[in-house]
Amino acid sequence: MDLTVWRTFVTVCRLGSLSAAAAELHHTQSAVSRQLAGLERQLGVPLMERHARGVRPTPAGEVFRHHALATLNEADRAVRAARETGDGVVLNRPLTVGATPSLAAGVVPEAIRALLKESGPLRWSLLPGLSAPLHDRVVTGELDIAVVTDAPPGLPHDPRTERRFLGVDDMVVALPVDHPRAGGGPVCMRALTDETWAEDNDGSAALLHQHAARAGVSARIELTAADLPGKLALVATGHAIALVPGILTRGLRTDVTTVSLADPPTRGVYTVVPRRDPHPCTAALLDHLATAFTSVRPGHDGTTSGPGLAADRLGL
């Protein structure tokens, strides 16, 4: 099959529009339509369907899109590998790392720093995201490694990937520095029933609701942020409190502090790598990630959270 047509199909799926895909690919819209029609004839099933705002893949099209994307990424890697080989010596292969926002804020950069110190110059990039999409990007070959958590909805089991457990992260409560409970000891969930909570993703919200339910109370999530920095901004300005990963404790902005929870909700932290054609630096990076995760866990060196942390202690 012609991979050019596959690229057209994947682009249409991503953009949801024949005209937008034609513009990006520098084709005419009629040429895009002919390519899709030819692909559907070849496969014998409809791949696209129209809706009010454009087009979307059919169930068969979505299955084909997933495998087509993996094939295209593998083809691109094959081209890059051939082009980066000179006189039989493989040149520096770029390393692409994905991580959840909390892990991208400290653990991963620290591990990459140790890797570069050990291995020398290396082209690399860091792509933050949520765990499930990051896992899928490892499967499709977009990422060489992902550092993720098993927070709801959890991690899929896929024979094409290999998972390594780094450790357990206790969730903590982020408070504005002038909150009455700032600087106090562990607090039980019942003591926070009158608080307004802010959340930025469904996984963290599920952990909060589960923990509250175990305590026989409910948590009032009344504010929603687009991302983790937005959630912390709502906390800093006194609009809400929030459940945040414990590994962020030393990396918080100075107008936010944390308090630990009695019997806190936890999440497992994992690395996910492809079983096939792993990056040459994978083994070394996994070791550095394990070391970095241990080093940034709260309390490993007797430190506590709170305002006024020195800039060189922020762990970012």
Side-chain angles (χ1 to χ4, degrees):
M1 288 187 178
D2 184 359
L3 291 186
T4 301
V5 179
W6 289 31
R7 292 188 192 280
T8 299
F9 172 73
V10 168
T11 303
V12 172
C13 290
R14 174 168 56 83
L15 298 176
S17 164
L18 296 181
S19 59
E24 181 173 304
L25 297 169
H26 304 292
H27 296 327
T28 63
Q29 184 170 334
S30 60
V32 170
S33 296
R34 286 196 301 273
Q35 289 183 51
L36 294 182
L39 184 60
E40 288 181 324
R41 286 195 301 273
Q42 195 171 20
L43 296 179
V45 293
L47 299 176
M48 304 297 300
E49 60 185 7
R50 294 189 177 276
H51 63 95
R53 289 173 294 184
V55 295
R56 63 190 169 208
T58 63
E62 179 58 31
V63 171
F64 182 72
R65 182 202 66 81
H66 179 80
H67 291 285
L69 184 58
T71 299
L72 290 170
N73 284 325
E74 189 64 27
D76 289 340
R77 293 178 72 170
V79 171
R80 286 197 303 269
R83 288 175 176 171
E84 291 176 356
T85 300
D87 299 325
V89 178
V90 178
L91 304 179
N92 217 359
R93 173 176 160 184
L95 175 68
T96 306
V97 183
T100 62
S102 60
L103 293 161
V107 171
V108 175
E110 180 66 29
I112 292 290
R113 180 172 65 175
L115 176 66
L116 296 178
K117 185 176 180 181
E118 176 183 88
S119 65
L122 173 69
R123 288 177 292 159
W124 66 281
S125 57
L126 174 58
L127 303 176
L130 297 180
S131 293
L134 289 175
H135 177 278
D136 291 343
R137 295 178 77 175
V138 171
V139 172
T140 60
E142 295 176 80
L143 296 174
D144 293 302
I145 183 171
V147 191
V148 296
T149 78
D150 61 3
L155 290 173
H157 290 278
D158 193 306
R160 293 167 292 182
T161 63
E162 184 174 348
R163 187 187 304 176
R164 176 174 171 178
F165 179 65
L166 292 182
V168 174
D169 183 30
D170 292 347
M171 303 296 284
V172 298
V173 179
L175 309 167
V177 293
D178 59 354
H179 191 280
R181 294 192 178 274
V187 61
C188 64
M189 194 65 195
R190 286 183 174 275
L192 302 173
T193 52
D194 294 331
E195 298 283 353
T196 295
W197 294 80
E199 271 306 340
D200 64 324
N201 68 78
D202 293 340
S204 182
L207 283 176
L208 177 58
H209 283 310
Q210 290 169 5
H211 184 69
R214 287 201 304 269
V217 297
S218 60
R220 294 187 295 112
I221 303 176
E222 297 185 357
L223 295 175
T224 302
D227 51 25
L228 182 57
K231 181 164 74 170
L232 292 175
L234 291 173
V235 173
T237 50
H239 294 290
I241 64 175
L243 193 69
V244 299
I247 57 173
L248 279 180
T249 298
R250 294 193 303 153
L252 292 174
R253 46 191 289 173
T254 56
D255 49 4
V256 172
T257 188
T258 63
V259 63
S260 59
L261 281 164
D263 186 26
T266 62
R267 57 183 196 157
V269 178
Y270 297 84
T271 57
V272 178
V273 298
R275 290 187 181 275
R276 193 173 160 214
D277 189 27
H279 191 281
C281 291
T282 294
L285 181 56
L286 289 175
D287 290 340
H288 290 306
L289 284 165
T291 300
F293 177 76
T294 301
S295 71
V296 301
R297 292 183 67 190
H300 83 281
D301 58 358
T303 59
T304 57
S305 63
L309 286 172
D312 62 352
R313 296 282 299 285
L314 292 181
L316 294 176

